[in-house]
Amino acid sequence: MKAVFHPTDLSLDAIMEELPFMKASYTDLNVLRQDVTDLFSFFTSNQQSMPFYTIKDANYDSLRDTFTDAYAMYVAAAQRLFQTPADIYSFFDCEMIREHGHNFIPYAEHTFNARGMIGQTLYGRFDAAVDPETERVTGIYEFNGDTPVMLCESINLQNRLTVSATGSSERQFNDWYFAVREMLKDQGLRPQRQYAVVCATEQVEDLATCETLSQVIGEVATCQLLDLDDLGFEHSAPSKPFQVSATGTSLDGVFILLPWEDMVMTFPEAFKTWRSWANNVAVLEPAWRWFISNKGMLAYVTHLLETDADFKTAWGHVPHLPTYLSPKRFIDAGKPYVAKPMLGRLSSNIQIFDEGGSLKHESDGLYPDGPRVYQQYCAPGRVEGRNNFILGMWMAAKANARLATAATLCIREFDAPVLDLQNERFIPHILVPAE
C-alpha cells in the first residue's frame, strides 16, 4: 500500500447531489449545507491533492476471501450459541439480556432461522489491521453489524473520487450497492412493499448512512426516510404494528439505526408481543445480528477455537484476535492487550495496556461502565508518510441465506493510538496493477 495524491472535483455541490433524500429532513437548507460542510470538510479541503491508498489487484481476492470467511465463522458461532443458550448469559451478559432476554433471545433465534426479509441483513462492516507491505490482514478487531456509519463515504463518495481521479469506476473495491440491490430483487421486494429507514435525523452522520440505505431499498420497494419520532407502534394492529405516524401507513419492513439493546430497553412492550408480528414485519438489521456485533462474540469465538476441534479445523485460518472475558491470560503471558466495552461503539472507552499491564492510552466515550472484553493488542497499519489506519470491509448479504460476501473496502486514517470520531478521516482507495 502506498499513498498517492490526485486532484478531484468533489465539491460541496457534488456531495449534496449524493444526498437528495436528506434535503427533505431539513427545514433550513443553509443549516443542511453547513452540516454537510462540517461532516465532509476533509474532502472539500483536499480537492487539489486528495490522498488515496493503493491496493494491488493481485490482493483483491485474498482480502475478499478473508472477510467472507470471517463472517461465515461468526454465523457458525451464532448457530452454536443458539444451540447452547446458557452461553448467552456467560458471554453476552448485560442489562438488556438480564431484564429482557426471555423475550429477546427467542425472537433473535426466530430471525436467525427465518428466510425472506425477516432474517435478511443489509450491511455491516469489519474493522481490521492490515500490513501495508503485504496487504494481508494481520488481525480482525471486530464486526460492526448493528449501527455502523460512514456508509455514504464508503459507497457514494468513494465512487465519485475514484472516477474523478482515474476516469473510471473500475479501479475500486466497491460492489456493495449493486450487490444489495440485486439481493433485494431476489428477495422479491416490489414497489408495493412499504419500507422505512429510520434514524435520529439531527445526527448528520446517521442521516448520511440512512440516506444511502434509503436509496438502495428505494430502487426496489417504496421506502421513506423518517426521524425516530415519526415511527409509530400501533398496538391495535398486532400483526403489522410498525407504522408511519403521520399517515398510518403500515410497514412491511423497517430499518432503525438504533442499537438493539436500546430499542428493547426503551420499547420492551413491542418485543413482548413479537410472535404476533415477527413473520409479517422485517426489522433490520435482524435481531440475531446483535450477537455477532456484540464484542462478547469475540470472546465466544475464541472459546470455540480453543475448546472445539471441529470449529478450529473449519475456522482456524481466520485472523481472529484472541479475546477473553478477563485480562488474566495476557497479564500472565506478559503480552499487551486492549480492553473494550462489550456494547461499546464509535471506538469509545477503549484502553490499551502494555506488557506489564500498565495503562498506556484510553479513549473517551459513552461506555465507561458495564462488562468488558480483553483482546490481544494488534497495532494498526501505517503507510509511509501517513498516520495510523485501519481497513474496513462492508459486507453484502446473499438472498435467503445468513451468509454475506465482502463487497466494499474502506480505509479510515487517524492520529491517536485509537480511532475515534474526532480524529478519524475516510481515505479513498484505488486498485492498481502489481508492480
Side-chain angles (χ1 to χ4, degrees), residues 4-11 40-52 161 164 386 413 425-428:
V4 297
F5 298 84
H6 293 277
T8 70
D9 59 5
L10 189 65
S11 64
F40 299 114
S41 60
F42 179 78
F43 304 108
T44 55
S45 63
N46 286 276
Q47 275 184 275
Q48 301 305 311
S49 185
M50 178 68 66
F52 289 77
L161 289 163
S164 178
R386 305 296 298 180
E413 197 178 68
R425 51 201 167 271
F426 173 85
I427 304 292

Side-chain angles (χ1 to χ4, degrees), residues 74 127-129 139-143 298 321 340 375 378-381 390:
Y74 278 32
D127 288 337
I140 294 175
Y141 294 127
E142 60 195 43
F143 178 69
L298 302 172
L321 293 172
K340 299 180 176 184
Q375 184 179 70
C378 180
I390 65 172

Side-chain angles (χ1 to χ4, degrees), residues 77-85 88 105 108-109 112 288 291 300:
Q79 184 166 23
R80 184 71 60 86
L81 187 68
F82 288 125
Q83 293 169 350
T84 55
I88 293 174
I105 293 170
E109 184 175 10
F112 184 77
W288 70 266
F291 290 97
Y300 186 62

